[in-house]
Amino acid sequence: MQISIQADDLLFNIQNRFQEMYPYLKLDFLTTSTADSGFAGEAKSIDVRPERSVAQLEEELKGICGVNVRVLRKCGQRKHEPVSGQGTTLAQQNKQGKLRTVLAPVPDVY
């Protein structure tokens, strides 16, 4: 599984393509300003196979995009939390996010 990153791709587009593959995970690009909202390098592909570790993915994305990246896991209906255990795989974390979302209490809405 690969995500293609094109020259002048927006970080938002990279996030969306990642979330299509892993619906219970989210990429959080830690930009320093609004000027850092895009990728200005040459086209690349990123390996996002399920057995890939979170730490490997974060490191590769940092090298390609030039900003710090962290993987967040869904926890409830609208919340995300930082992934713990950086040696874990994308598949393991996506599964944990699914469990945490399914088992999360639904807030009362009046």
Side-chain angles (χ1 to χ4, degrees):
M1 297 170 62
Q2 301 276 327
I3 292 179
S4 295
I5 299 176
Q6 305 302 316
D8 297 326
D9 220 342
L10 295 176
L11 298 180
F12 176 78
N13 294 337
I14 298 167
Q15 287 173 319
N16 284 340
R17 289 193 293 268
F18 179 77
Q19 208 155 19
E20 287 173 6
M21 295 177 184
Y22 298 101
Y24 297 96
L25 299 179
K26 179 181 177 182
L27 294 177
D28 186 20
F29 291 94
L30 307 171
T31 58
T32 55
S33 71
T34 56
D36 294 331
S37 62
F39 168 69
E42 59 187 60
K44 304 228 183 227
S45 289
I46 295 178
D47 175 15
V48 290
R49 289 174 292 146
E51 62 273 8
R52 185 106 196 257
S53 81
V54 170
Q56 289 172 326
L57 177 66
E58 289 174 343
E59 191 62 34
E60 183 177 3
L61 279 168
K62 180 181 178 182
I64 290 172
C65 298
V67 295
N68 289 325
V69 180
R70 67 181 172 178
V71 175
L72 303 176
R73 176 180 54 219
K74 196 165 186 181
C75 178
Q77 298 303 315
R78 294 189 182 130
K79 296 181 188 177
H80 286 83
E81 63 185 8
V83 168
S84 59
Q86 293 291 305
T88 59
T89 67
L90 294 170
Q92 290 169 326
Q93 290 298 335
N94 194 60
K95 183 177 179 180
Q96 281 293 318
K98 182 177 182 178
L99 288 172
R100 289 173 184 250
T101 300
V102 169
L103 298 175
V106 178
D108 293 331
V109 179
Y110 294 98

